[in-house]
Structure formats: C-alpha cells, structure tokens
Amino acid sequence: MDEIRKGLENVIALETSIAFIDGEQGILKYRGHDINDLSKLSYYEVSHLLVKGSLPDGRELEDYSNELKQERFIPSDAMAVLSSCNFNIEAMDALRTTISYLSHCDSDMNGNSSEENIRKGMRMIAKFPVIVAMFYRIKTGQEIVEADTSMSHGANFLYMLRGERPSDLEAEIIEKDFILSAEHELNPSTFASRLATSTLTDIYSAIIAGVCTLKGPLHGGARMAVMEMLDEVGSVENAGLYVADKVNLHEKLMGFGHRVYKTYDPRARIYKELARQIAAEKGDLSWFEIAESIEKAAFKEFVENKGKTIYPNVDFYSAVVYKYLEIPPKLATAVFAIGRISGWIAHCLEQYSDNRVIRPRAKFVEI
Ligand code: SDX
C-alpha cells in the first residue's frame, strides 16, 4: 500500500484540461489562458470558456449571455422557500436550500445528457447571484430588487444586493472578482463536486456538495474571516502586534498560506490592484492600508523570520475589495460561490465525460 499523504497533499487524483496551476511560479491558467489575461474579460466570456471549453466569438457570447439573463429569475414557490429560511442561517445555507428546492423545479432534473447538464448548470450560474442578493434583502427587511437583464452578471448582482446601480468601476471589479474566483483545479469544494459526480448523481446534488464544502472556514470561509480581521486590527499601527500574536498563539492568519502556492497567489496580486483602485474611487484608503500593513507584518513573521512560504492567498485582498463594495462579511463565502459555480459545473461535466467512481483506500490501524 502506498504511503499516506495527509490531506491528500500533492496526490495527483486525475487528469483535467480545465485548470493549470504552477504553485512554485505562481501561475494559474483556465484552459490554457493566463488568469492575468482572463481577468480583463467579462464573467460570461470566462464562464463560457470553462463550461463550453472555449472563449466565445461574438455570436456565441450573445447567445450564452441571453440564455443566462433569461434564467435570472426565481419562481414564486422557490421564493417562498427562500423567504421561509430561518434568518439565523448563513447565506451559504440559504443558497444550498434554495438550489436544492430549485432542482425539483427544473424540467431537465431527471436527464443526465451533456446538453441537459449544461442547461441545468447554466440555470445555477444565473440563479446563484439572484438567490444571494434576495436572501440578503429579505434577511435585512428590504424590498426585493428585481433582476435587470440590461446589466452584466456582476452589475446586476450589486444592483439587486444594494438597490442602486453600481459605478462603472464597481461593476468592472465585481466581474473580475467572479472571474478570479471561478476556478482552481482540485480545491476542496471542486473535488467534493467531482467525487459526488463520479457516482453519477445529478448535477444539482454534486453542486450542493461543493457548496457545503466551500462554506468551511479554512476554504471559502476565509474571506469573511479576513473582512472581520480588518475590523479587528482597525489601524495600520496595530497590524504588527496582531500578526505577532497570531503567530505566538499558533493561530492561522486568515487569507494567508496555500496548499499549492508556495509563492504569492497570482489572484492576490490582481485583487490587490483592484482594492487599490476601488479605495481610490471611494476616497478612503484605510482598509487597503490596513491590509497592506498586515501583509508586510506577515511577510516579516513568516518569510523573513521563519523562512515559511506563507503569502497572501485569494481570500486576502478580495476581502478588502468586498469591504469597499459594501458586501456584508456574512455574504462573502456566498459571493465566492457565485464566481466558483462555473468552475464546479466545468469539472462535473468533465467527470461525467470520462468517469470512474472515485474511491480511495484507508489504512486500518488499531487504537
Ligand atoms: C482557498 O485549494 C485551493 O485551491 C483553495 C482556494 C481555491 O481557490 O479554491 O485557493 C481557496 O481555500 C484559499 C485558502 C483560504 N484559507 C485560509 O486563508 C485559511 C488560512 N490558511 C491555512 O489554513 C492554510 O494555509 C491552508 C488551509 C490554506 C493550507 O493549509 P495546508 O496546506 O494544509 O498547510 P498546513 O495547515 O499543513 O500548514 C503548514 C505549516 C504549518 O506550520 P507547522 O505546523 O509546519 O509549523 O504552515 C503553517 C501551519 O501552521 N501555516 C500557517 C498558515 N497557513 C499555514 N500559519 C499561520 N497562518 C496561516 N494562514
């Protein structure tokens, strides 16, 4: 029996044509396209690349966008389910519950052909932001804002969430957020979706497995934790002591470290620039400067003092962007899921297309 790799670290579980990551060089590509190039496109172009396998031409993009925009609506019975959610639950629980209910409303529910799975996947891509925004409006006692099909995926989300049209920069930045969050190879939630898919369960069930996994604080939950950390640190002056305390208490510094990247997460570099831009537009650099001071203190503690390759990951500066976009911390993981759903769908389709049940072994030990 092979040696055990705790957490399946560096275990190659399967082949994929969806993402390429070089953890030493800090490189991320979706279907061969570098993330730095993809982050200049629209979310629908990148979603098409992931789900359909190629960047769309003009006509393909128009068709894909129109199909998704027409699905930006939640039927009244699903709205009743969403409205009946006990509001002490997290947005990720409301998302899981509503998607589960919506699966019963889907005319393709019992079909498992590639075309049926793509249609079901696109309905989820379209509905994730709508569900999250509606949940927040209901939970905070605000009027529901109906979807606006004239807006981009990201702009419509911010419009439905905040009840006002976002600025051009805000709309551009949330689209980039969804792109940067869209795909990351066999991360825990994507692997959960692929594992479920390998039993040939339906794609809704496989996606719900991903939603449940992303919720974890060491995975998608880190973004919310970073937003709360920014409040806790509160000033540039406090950053050094805060980080030193975390290290001395052997507590994880949220938004830092990565199983694969042993250098700066390429997504974090892009998010840092987005955070700088939105901070400038808002005329308030405070959150950005606090984050930068945490980053500097962490570099000193981890890299300089301990020689550890612990750098900012995707959840660090994205949390700063969410602060400036007025996204409530408790929605942060669900907003991450709004981007990641396209990657999950792509991996489910790839698993269905060349499947073998995923079933590792365990070594029995007497206790
Ligand atoms: C995401 O996999 C993906 O691709 C995920 C993701 C995606 O796009 O899907 O990139 C999204 O989940 C990003 C990660 C978000 N989570 C966090 O920010 C939580 C804080 N980070 C850590 O929990 C940790 O870095 C992980 C979970 C991200 C990775 O953990 P590993 O690979 O299991 O590493 P480890 O916990 O075994 O740590 C190795 C060493 C330990 O020290 P020693 O015991 O060897 O002395 O590094 C230390 C750890 O204590 N360490 C940290 C740390 N991360 C690692 N110490 C303090 N703060 C940290 N953040």
Side-chain angles (χ1 to χ4, degrees):
M1 188 175 281
D2 295 341
E3 65 157 315
I4 295 171
R5 308 277 191 79
K6 202 162 168 69
L8 299 185
E9 181 159 19
N10 291 331
V11 168
I12 307 296
L14 48 85
E15 290 181 343
T16 181
S17 63
I18 301 170
F20 168 79
I21 302 174
D22 180 331
E24 299 301 325
Q25 302 299 318
I27 296 170
L28 170 60
K29 296 183 179 180
Y30 301 169
R31 297 200 189 278
H33 298 268
D34 189 278
I35 193 64
N36 288 285
D37 299 327
L38 292 175
S39 62
K40 299 180 175 74
L41 304 179
S42 71
Y43 181 66
Y44 282 170
E45 287 172 286
V46 176
S47 178
H48 186 283
L49 172 67
L50 291 169
V51 173
K52 302 262 187 161
S54 63
L55 284 173
D57 61 25
R59 179 57 190 273
E60 289 166 329
L61 179 58
E62 187 182 349
D63 292 346
Y64 192 74
S65 302
N66 288 339
E67 191 171 339
L68 285 169
K69 288 182 174 183
Q70 295 318 311
E71 291 288 356
R72 279 181 186 173
F73 301 94
I74 305 295
S76 57
D77 49 344
M79 273 296 296
V81 169
L82 185 57
S83 303
S84 67
C85 282
N86 167 353
F87 296 118
N88 295 324
I89 67 171
E90 292 183 36
M92 288 296 274
D93 300 332
L95 183 61
R96 178 190 69 211
T97 303
T98 309
I99 283 295
S100 187
Y101 182 83
L102 281 170
S103 69
H104 308 300
C105 315
D106 193 314
S107 56
D108 290 316
M109 178 56 186
N110 296 317
N112 213 22
S113 72
S114 181
E115 293 74 19
E116 287 160 328
N117 283 325
I118 288 174
R119 283 199 299 270
K120 288 187 276 188
M122 289 178 71
R123 289 178 188 125
M124 284 189 266
I125 291 167
K127 289 172 166 54
F128 264 40
V130 173
I131 293 166
V132 173
M134 284 183 171
F135 169 73
Y136 179 69
R137 300 289 290 190
I138 292 166
K139 180 179 168 79
T140 51
Q142 302 181 77
E143 282 294 304
I144 294 283
V145 177
E146 292 303 324
D148 182 332
T149 56
S150 71
M151 293 185 187
S152 72
H153 200 63
N156 178 64
F157 169 65
L158 289 179
Y159 170 63
M160 293 184 74
L161 180 74
R162 303 183 322 192
E164 58 189 24
R165 297 179 74 89
S167 72
D168 291 347
L169 181 62
E170 288 177 321
E172 182 190 331
I173 285 180
I174 191 69
E175 283 275 300
K176 294 177 190 296
D177 169 59
F178 292 166
I179 290 167
L180 293 167
S181 300
E183 160 61 10
H184 211 245
E185 198 216 65
L186 288 191
N187 61 84
S189 53
T190 299
F191 189 63
S193 291
R194 281 198 79 136
L195 192 150
T197 302
S198 80
T199 69
L200 295 188
T201 190
D202 68 280
I203 198 167
Y204 275 98
S205 298
I207 293 305
I208 288 166
V211 169
C212 297
T213 307
L214 185 69
K215 178 182 169 187
L218 293 188
H219 184 20
R223 219 165 274 195
M224 173 172 68
V226 174
M227 292 179 82
E228 291 165 350
M229 171 169 70
L230 292 169
D231 286 329
E232 194 178 340
V233 172
S235 73
V236 167
E237 295 70 32
N238 292 343
L241 188 58
Y242 181 90
V243 171
D245 283 350
K246 282 288 179 187
V247 171
N248 295 334
L249 292 169
H250 298 289
E251 292 177 5
K252 293 280 200 290
L253 188 65
M254 302 309 269
F256 284 81
H258 201 276
R259 173 63 60 78
V260 178
Y261 291 119
K262 300 311 167 192
T263 183
Y264 216 102
D265 186 324
R267 300 166 294 179
R269 286 195 196 289
I270 300 171
Y271 271 120
K272 184 173 183 176
E273 283 319 302
L274 298 180
R276 196 195 304 273
Q277 289 171 24
I278 191 72
E281 181 180 80
K282 299 288 183 182
D284 168 16
L285 292 173
S286 59
W287 299 122
F288 179 80
E289 288 172 346
I290 291 170
E292 211 174 26
S293 59
I294 293 170
E295 179 188 353
K296 285 175 184 156
F299 182 80
K300 182 169 173 291
E301 284 289 345
F302 293 129
V303 182
E304 287 183 342
N305 294 354
K306 297 178 185 291
K308 289 191 169 185
T309 55
I310 298 173
Y311 296 88
N313 61 45
V314 68
D315 291 313
F316 188 62
Y317 281 104
S318 56
V320 181
V321 167
Y322 286 13
K323 273 284 191 191
Y324 285 111
L325 292 179
E326 300 161 52
I327 291 171
K330 290 196 181 302
L331 289 190
T333 309
V335 179
F336 190 162
I338 293 171
R340 183 54 54 92
I341 176 69
S342 289
W344 289 336
I345 296 299
H347 278 274
C348 291
L349 295 170
E350 186 174 75
Q351 187 68 37
Y352 282 130
S353 70
D354 177 16
N355 184 49
R356 186 154 191 253
V357 171
I358 296 172
R359 197 275 190 225
R361 292 295 313 279
K363 179 182 175 186
F364 175 75
V365 288
E366 296 281 356
I367 49 174

